Amino acid sequence: MESLQRKLRRIDGRGYKAYKEIRGVYQFQGYTLFVDHVQGDPFAAPSRVRVRVKQQVAKFSPELFKNRSRRIGVEDYLVRAFSNAIDAVARGHRGSGKSGMVSIASCGQEILERSAVVVNGEFVEVRFLVGLPARGRMVLGKQAEEVFFQEIPLIVSRSLLHENTDRDRLSRQVDVCEDADFIRSSLVEKGYVCFIANDSILPRKTGIDDRPMNLSKAVPILSPESLSMTFDRPNSGTITGMAIPEGVTLIVGGGYHGKSTLLRAIERGVYNHILEDGREFAITDVNTVKVRAEDGRRVEKVDISAFLANLPTGIDTRSFSSDDASGSTSQAASIVEGMEVGAKLLLMDEDTCATNFMIRDRRMQELISKDKEPITPFLDRVRELYSQFGVSSILVLGGSGDYFDVADTVISMDTYQPRDVTSEAKEIAARYGTQRAREVGNSFSKITQRAPLRHSFNPRRGKREVKIDTKSMNEISFGTTRIDLLCVEQLVDVGQARAIGDAIHYMSRKYADGSHSMLEIVEMVSRDIEKSGLDVLSPFRDEVYGDYALPRKFEIAAAINRMRTLTVKQLM
Ligand code: ADP
Ligand code: MG
């Protein structure tokens, strides 16, 4: 601690490069400070710093992190607590560029595994950023002293000592994580794909604000009797709500009655949520993929022949590639790519689907004969998806009753409340036949696995051998390639996008040798992360980053699949 102080006093007033001297490890009262990386100038990315507090001092009981669910709950809680303490304590901006800024990964409504905090039996470690203060390019040693000797000690003591945390809130968040994970796995064992507890608040504040809608306006959800189900929780007793069984489910109802809001909650139910989010017990099978049309996207050698055949130019749809896919072909490719890496539930919303991919009614069949229409609509494949592959679907479709014939469950949303209208829909289907012919020439029997080839992944940009940047969750720059993730809707945190960028580099070095399938690759990466933590993704040996959040294997695959440089070999 004294040695850091001496260094800061010595370099005060010198050129910014003098800060390089403070890289090192310092013993403070109650914690160790690591200055891992010192920024080159005040405008560059801020310096990377870690604080490690021994559990003899921090005193978080092992009960709080005795399993993975609980550990993630504690770690996520501490990231937020540290961030709140920064807001309360740090003076922030002082000098040029990012001078004096203390910051940590920011979190949304989802509880995710993050690299910003590590909690184990030995210590609590927090990784964060400090903008080393300067005027112009001149070291402001006094200001740096303030940050390291006044602000950080206070932030640490406010947020990383168990005695100073809101213990009740912390233990509730940890319990919710464990309970939600428990329901998520028992759900699937019992043959259901998702569960939405009664009184959940599904609507959000605005289209760009993911916090819950004001409780005075939001209508809490209540399960219809016929879909009602009760789960036991390890920590908080029983909970009742709507459970949607496997198979084909339709969500119907008038416009503006809450269909998309329900689907969105199901989409996000693959993640746990913080207290008071309203979706703490809106829980979905982890193997769920939201699919949508995404015209313009890249597709590389995907077998979409189950949905498209006889394209006008004679293109072989068993190995379909495009640099500019259409709405229908992009949607077909996304379904197959999701199934390729293990999707068990597909979610689709009419608002973002290609109509010609979803339906083709009697009259259109009459006008445009099958040999002129390459598309087999999803309607004619959705049952096979379930019977052949065990893949369920939940479809929001207010506009077509043709799906009544193929649905197992029909839920109607009526002023934000679900009703079970399955038998009504079936009666109507029996009374009014669609008179359309099923359009299944070839059978849908297998998913062709693909092996990504190493030369697809070049992280080099200019003089930098590895340059992977992620400024928002919608876009990764991988070398000179831009990966557009705007339509990958289950990506929820910029930290996930950062992890994906580095995961692509990681897997390209380790696994993309042309013999491993996409499924094997994303599973191996996920397993490595589970075993050794998100730190394994760091492209530079021994450097740790505090800005990763755990991505799902589906989003890693989705990013790879959208790379304009991707080349694969189809495996037979
Ligand atoms: P749909 O897809 O059926 O057209 P949306 O799900 O888009 O309807 O919802 C329409 C509007 O109603 C949105 O502004 C949404 O925020 C709001 N809304 C949805 N569910 C609820 C609810 N439970 N309580 C209050 N408002 C809701
Ligand atoms: Mg809608």
Side-chain angles (χ1 to χ4, degrees):
M1 181 174 152
E2 284 80 29
S3 91
L4 176 61
Q5 195 163 40
R6 276 196 304 276
K7 285 181 194 169
L8 289 173
R9 289 186 177 165
R10 191 171 61 234
I11 64 172
D12 183 33
R14 287 173 46 190
Y16 205 82
K17 288 278 179 275
Y19 265 131
K20 292 283 177 198
E21 284 181 37
I22 73 164
R23 184 160 182 260
V25 185
Y26 306 96
Q27 194 51 53
F28 276 67
Q29 232 136 48
Y31 64 89
T32 310
L33 173 82
F34 302 77
V35 180
D36 287 333
H37 176 261
V38 175
Q39 66 205 96
D41 71 74
F43 301 92
S47 303
R48 290 201 310 274
V49 174
R50 275 180 297 148
V51 157
R52 186 180 283 187
V53 189
K54 288 216 171 74
Q55 284 293 15
Q56 288 99 299
V57 179
K59 293 201 166 74
F60 289 90
S61 119
E63 180 64 20
L64 285 167
F65 49 89
K66 67 177 181 193
N67 56 41
R68 182 167 187 272
S69 302
R70 294 175 70 83
R71 174 179 56 77
I72 291 172
V74 182
E75 290 175 346
D76 176 280
Y77 186 91
L78 293 179
V79 182
R80 295 167 199 270
F82 196 86
S83 173
N84 291 340
I86 290 172
D87 292 344
V89 168
R91 206 181 91 200
H93 200 261
R94 36 160 93 79
S96 44
K98 296 179 179 110
S99 284
M101 307 285 281
V102 182
S103 66
I104 188 161
S106 64
C107 308
Q109 295 297 107
E110 281 81 19
I111 296 176
L112 301 172
E113 174 152 28
R114 297 169 195 283
S115 61
V117 168
V118 177
V119 177
N120 57 37
E122 219 184 303
F123 56 76
V124 174
E125 181 175 295
V126 177
R127 291 92 177 258
F128 58 103
L129 301 174
V130 173
L132 296 171
R135 177 178 304 122
R137 289 181 194 281
M138 185 186 80
V139 168
L140 290 175
K142 272 259 161 322
Q143 260 83 328
E145 258 189 72
E146 266 173 41
V147 173
F148 285 112
F149 292 88
Q150 291 167 25
E151 294 185 355
I152 293 174
L154 203 55
I155 293 166
V156 169
S157 109
R158 281 197 179 201
S159 59
L160 302 185
L161 305 183
H162 188 239
E163 58 179 13
N164 294 344
T165 53
D166 183 339
R167 276 160 282 181
D168 174 58
R169 215 179 154 72
L170 168 61
S171 82
R172 277 194 294 138
Q173 167 153 323
V174 171
D175 286 351
V176 162
C177 281
E178 191 175 32
D179 288 346
D181 284 344
F182 175 84
I183 293 177
R184 196 172 285 109
S185 52
S186 47
L187 187 76
V188 176
E189 284 163 24
K190 292 186 165 120
Y192 294 87
V193 290
C194 76
F195 173 75
I196 301 199
N198 289 341
D199 292 326
S200 292
I201 300 295
L202 307 187
R204 302 292 97 192
K205 234 181 202 30
T206 71
I208 52 161
D209 186 340
D210 200 37
R211 289 173 299 168
M213 179 183 276
N214 205 309
L215 293 183
S216 61
K217 284 189 286 176
V219 179
I221 197 162
L222 180 67
S223 173
E225 199 58 50
S226 53
L227 295 174
S228 182
M229 169 113 184
T230 299
F231 280 95
D232 237 329
R233 292 175 291 186
N235 301 297
S236 332
T238 60
I239 189 163
T240 301
M242 175 168 79
I244 299 183
E246 286 178 4
V248 178
T249 302
L250 295 187
I251 300 174
V252 301
Y256 223 67
H257 277 259
K259 302 183 297 296
S260 296
T261 304
L262 172 60
L263 193 78
R264 182 136 272 243
I266 295 172
E267 205 174 300
R268 295 299 179 93
V270 298
Y271 300 114
N272 289 342
H273 290 93
I274 56 171
L275 300 174
E276 283 115 46
D277 173 80
R279 300 170 297 184
E280 293 94 309
F281 291 99
I283 295 169
T284 308
D285 179 0
V286 285
N287 293 312
T288 296
V289 175
K290 171 74 180 287
V291 170
R292 56 172 291 170
E294 186 183 347
D295 56 325
R297 67 159 281 197
R298 173 88 205 294
V299 175
E300 165 70 5
K301 294 202 179 95
V302 179
D303 180 354
I304 55 168
S305 58
F307 299 106
L308 279 104
N310 313 320
L311 288 181
T313 44
I315 296 166
D316 183 3
T317 54
R318 284 171 304 177
S319 177
F320 177 80
S321 301
S322 174
D323 289 317
D324 183 11
S326 66
S328 54
T329 52
S330 63
Q331 195 170 347
S334 296
I335 290 171
V336 174
E337 288 165 348
M339 291 171 67
E340 187 182 4
V341 290
K344 286 291 163 203
L345 172 64
L346 301 176
L347 306 177
M348 296 182 208
D349 189 328
E350 59 186 355
D351 295 351
T352 49
C353 284
T355 307
N356 60 344
F357 181 75
M358 299 308 284
I359 49 175
R360 218 163 95 76
D361 67 10
R362 168 70 207 263
R363 287 178 170 173
M364 199 52 86
Q365 285 183 328
E366 199 67 46
L367 185 64
I368 311 292
S369 64
K370 180 60 191 151
D371 54 320
K372 296 258 166 47
E373 171 53 271
I375 301 176
T376 299
F378 190 68
L379 172 63
D380 289 328
R381 289 294 188 199
V382 64
R383 287 243 53 99
E384 261 172 304
L385 245 48
Y386 184 57
S387 61
Q388 301 283 322
F389 300 93
V391 175
S392 299
S393 303
I394 300 181
L395 312 171
V396 166
L397 268 180
S400 171
D402 284 5
Y403 273 80
F404 291 175
D405 294 307
V406 296
D408 297 300
T409 308
V410 184
I411 296 169
S412 109
M413 290 303 285
D414 186 347
T415 42
Y416 315 132
Q417 289 301 1
R419 287 201 305 125
D420 181 356
V421 295
T422 310
S423 44
E424 268 173 270
K426 289 291 178 191
E427 266 169 46
I428 291 168
R431 202 159 353 120
Y432 307 99
T434 62
Q435 277 141 28
R436 61 185 293 284
R438 240 189 118 219
E439 296 179 8
V440 276
N442 54 341
S443 80
F444 188 7
S445 54
K446 78 175 211 301
I447 296 288
T448 307
Q449 295 287 332
R450 300 168 306 150
L453 303 176
R454 181 163 287 139
H455 67 259
S456 319
F457 311 103
N458 182 3
R460 174 183 287 280
R461 191 190 316 151
K463 282 178 294 191
R464 305 279 296 274
E465 215 165 299
V466 180
K467 185 85 178 116
I468 305 167
D469 303 311
T470 306
K471 300 232 153 44
S472 83
M473 76 179 175
N474 298 330
E475 189 179 314
I476 298 170
S477 300
F478 188 92
T480 54
T481 309
R482 218 178 55 89
I483 310 174
D484 184 354
L485 300 173
L486 192 63
C487 292
V488 182
E489 294 178 305
Q490 284 169 301
L491 197 67
V492 294
D493 193 293
V494 62
Q496 291 180 307
R498 291 214 173 91
I500 290 171
D502 287 351
I504 292 175
H505 181 49
Y506 174 86
M507 71 85 194
S508 75
R509 282 174 304 169
K510 252 186 122 161
Y511 302 125
D513 58 4
S515 76
H516 292 112
S517 68
M518 189 78 90
L519 173 65
E520 288 168 335
I521 286 177
V522 292
E523 286 191 334
M524 286 188 288
V525 173
S526 301
R527 213 171 309 132
D528 291 352
I529 297 173
E530 200 168 315
K531 209 170 82 208
S532 322
L534 284 159
D535 293 345
V536 296
L537 298 179
S538 167
F540 305 103
R541 270 173 83 87
D542 305 326
E543 297 216 349
V544 296
Y545 297 91
D547 57 4
Y548 292 142
L550 184 67
R552 304 187 316 149
K553 62 178 179 180
F554 300 105
E555 281 72 40
I556 302 175
I560 297 171
N561 281 319
R562 282 162 181 72
M563 288 182 80
R564 300 263 161 199
T565 51
L566 178 67
T567 51
V568 302
K569 191 174 80 200
Q570 281 190 330
L571 303 171
M572 285 307 128

